[in-house]
Amino acid sequence: MHIPILSRISTKITFASALLLFATILLVVVGLLRGFAQTRTDVTTASQHGLQNQGQVALFDLTQVEAKLLNANLEQVASTTRHLVSLFNSLDQIPSLSLTDPLSQLTTGTTNNRFDANPNRKSDLVIFANTPDTALLRQNLRDSQILDAIFPGVLANLGDALAIYYVSNEGLTRYYPVSNLQDIVPPDFDVPNENFYTIVAPTRNPERQTVWTDIYSDELGKGLLTTVSSPIYQGDQFRGFIGIDITLNEFLKQLETIKPTPSSYAFVLDQQGDVIAAPQIALQTFLNIPSSQTLSPSQTLELQMNPTTAPALASVLERMQNNQSGIQTLQANNQDLVVANAALTSINWHIVVIAPKTEITSEAQAVTATIETSSGRIVGKLLWFLAALTIITLLATWLISNRLSRPIVALVQNTQALAESNQFVQLPEQSNDELGFLARAFNQMASKVQSAQQSLQQVNQNLEQTVQQRTHELEQERESLQQTLDQLKHANSTVAKLTAPIIPVAQGVVVVPITGSLNTERIEQLQQAMLRTAERLRIHTVILDVTGLEVLEDSATFVRSLDALRLLGSKAMLVGVSADFAQDLIQSGINLDSVTTMANLQAAVRATLNQA
């Protein structure tokens, strides 16, 4: 009996098997691809977030360290003016040995300015034409003579300082180094009405704070300068101030070296957004100044970044006005940027570091590309394998179904047994008829499914090895970042060394003002600095001013450092000892016979000079 090809049982079995196989493979492929894609997405997202966060934290830490280093240099100069004021007040108590009228030794110039014309003078001394002769003027002139011996040593220890000077409340000026000041200032120069004087005088500075001037261009061609000044008071009487001119040339050079990434840059603004220093790329990015328009440092000082002129920085400027540091991501000129800012607390400036987000996240992008490439290869191999398996299985099914001759009942029984067992059951292969061939094809298909499972397990193992390899690389990156953090800690240690200046006040005499907290590490650093200075300058007396000391954590080490000075032939004197500090030394049971104490710095200086 002829049976049409479409009505044959073999054709129906082949067609049904093909549909079943296609549906099964489709479900397997969709499940594997979805699971694999989710795993890839999770791994990629975790890697990106981890590396991006580490990069931003490292950028913020670097910005804070750079701000601390720059601020430490400025604070050292400001602290020096305050200590010089304290020293000047203490020297004021020492009676002058000069018997001649100091005004009689001055020369009157063509503009009626009186000045010291001695070619061997230590500093420029100028009394301007509109200054009346008073007893207070003569007193200030005599009292300030000692500064000629102090100013050279102080200026030599301040790398960025150009000049140091004393200005009395009448306008008497003592300026170091010698610059022929009387020939530079105009004839009608009125010191009490000049800005550098009024900002430190009582009217504008009733709190008697150390103040900084705005940035200005030096008339002698020394570049951009700023001046820090501390007022001098005798009781409630304002007697003038001591100021130090600081060049910003080294400051600007140091700013140019802050490049945590290849395309990053840094600039400095004051708290109101006025530009202190900025590279051309910052002006182009945020103020839309063309790259072809080159501005001088003086022209840059006239610029301001505010929410109107630099809207991209609005949130950063608001944070700066609140004197807060931070880091955030923003967009400017169609570029995603990471912006970190930190305060220079001494002068109310902020350093701002800009880095392209792509450079901060470059490592994360490399990890993502690697994962995408590896996963693409794995998925491709899997699809090729499943396609080959489908073709082979369909071919085997077609060949077996064409040779099917066993009764349908027997086939149904065996199929029911296989379905009811819910397990892999080997079909009998004794006969060579169509059912026997079908049984063998079924068994072959089951074997290849097991092979496919093994291949998938191998694929999973390869994926796990790839993840382990990337995890190892991430661990190496973490160790590298840890080394960077260790370097940051070392930089912080460098900052700590700048907080206890050693100030020469006379031949063989230095003053060491100590503030804050003294732990064992800081005591040892201070001891090394004092011993080197004592040996180098042949110091016979070291006056330690502990008026500003808050906490002494290691009394024994502190006293041993004083004994070490005595071994070099130097005498240690303590001034400004508080009741708590004295009680700590006594309770420690340490022998203090070798330590001389004085009530205050004035008494110590007076005693030292009298002995000399």
Side-chain angles (χ1 to χ4, degrees), residues 254-362:
Q254 186 175 353
L255 192 65
E256 293 175 354
T257 64
I258 302 176
K259 294 183 69 66
T261 66
S263 301
S264 60
Y265 53 91
F267 57 91
V268 176
L269 307 176
D270 66 12
Q271 199 166 4
Q272 288 71 41
D274 292 331
V275 178
I276 304 301
Q280 185 68 30
I281 186 173
L283 304 180
Q284 179 182 355
T285 301
F286 298 108
L287 294 179
N288 296 321
I289 295 178
S291 58
S292 58
Q293 182 180 353
T294 303
L295 301 181
S296 66
S298 298
Q299 291 173 320
T300 302
L301 290 175
E302 299 176 359
L303 302 176
Q304 185 184 56
M305 294 188 183
N306 55 51
T308 301
T309 60
L313 288 176
S315 57
V316 178
L317 296 170
E318 181 180 359
R319 190 166 59 234
M320 289 169 48
Q321 290 179 351
N322 296 327
N323 204 26
Q324 296 175 347
S325 301
I327 187 169
Q328 69 180 78
T329 301
L330 54 83
Q331 190 175 68
N333 285 351
N334 298 321
Q335 185 180 20
D336 291 330
L337 303 174
V338 179
V339 181
N341 74 288
L344 280 67
T345 54
S346 293
I347 199 169
N348 287 330
W349 292 353
H350 277 257
I351 180 174
V352 182
V353 179
I354 308 291
K357 186 178 179 180
T358 55
E359 295 181 358
I360 294 293
T361 60
S362 59

Side-chain angles (χ1 to χ4, degrees), residues 2 46 54 71 131 138 152 192 289 293 353 377 394 409 443 448 479 534 575 602:
H2 177 70
Q54 288 179 354
N71 188 70
T131 304
R138 287 177 168 81
I289 295 178
Q293 182 180 353
V353 179
R377 287 197 299 265
L394 288 175
V409 175
N443 293 335
K448 290 185 177 181
E479 293 176 357
V575 300
Q602 292 89 340

Side-chain angles (χ1 to χ4, degrees), residues 10-26 390-391 393-395 397-398 401 445:
S10 59
T11 302
K12 294 180 180 180
I13 292 175
T14 301
F15 183 72
S17 299
L19 288 178
L20 179 62
L21 180 61
F22 177 78
T24 302
I25 292 178
L26 181 62
T390 301
I391 294 173
T393 304
L394 288 175
L395 180 61
T397 303
W398 181 77
S401 64
M445 182 180 66

Side-chain angles (χ1 to χ4, degrees), residues 138-196:
R138 287 177 168 81
Q139 178 186 352
N140 289 333
L141 184 57
R142 285 191 296 266
D143 291 345
S144 64
Q145 287 176 344
I146 191 65
L147 296 177
D148 280 350
I150 297 175
F151 279 174
V154 172
L155 194 63
N157 289 327
L158 299 175
D160 293 336
L162 291 181
I164 182 171
Y165 47 87
Y166 159 78
V167 179
S168 72
N169 55 340
E170 313 92 351
L172 180 150
T173 302
R174 193 177 292 274
Y175 185 95
Y176 178 85
V178 174
S179 302
N180 294 323
L181 190 64
Q182 69 277 0
D183 298 330
I184 299 174
V185 296
D188 57 348
F189 192 68
D190 188 7
V191 173
N193 290 320
E194 294 294 329
N195 181 65
F196 72 88

Side-chain angles (χ1 to χ4, degrees), residues 363-382:
E363 295 181 0
Q365 292 172 349
V367 171
T368 301
T370 301
I371 294 175
E372 292 288 346
T373 302
S374 299
S375 62
R377 287 197 299 265
I378 294 173
V379 170
K381 291 180 180 178
L382 178 62

Side-chain angles (χ1 to χ4, degrees), residues 116-131:
D116 184 359
N118 184 355
N120 297 320
R121 64 186 182 276
K122 296 292 184 64
S123 65
D124 282 338
L125 175 62
V126 181
I127 301 176
F128 297 99
N130 56 356
T131 304

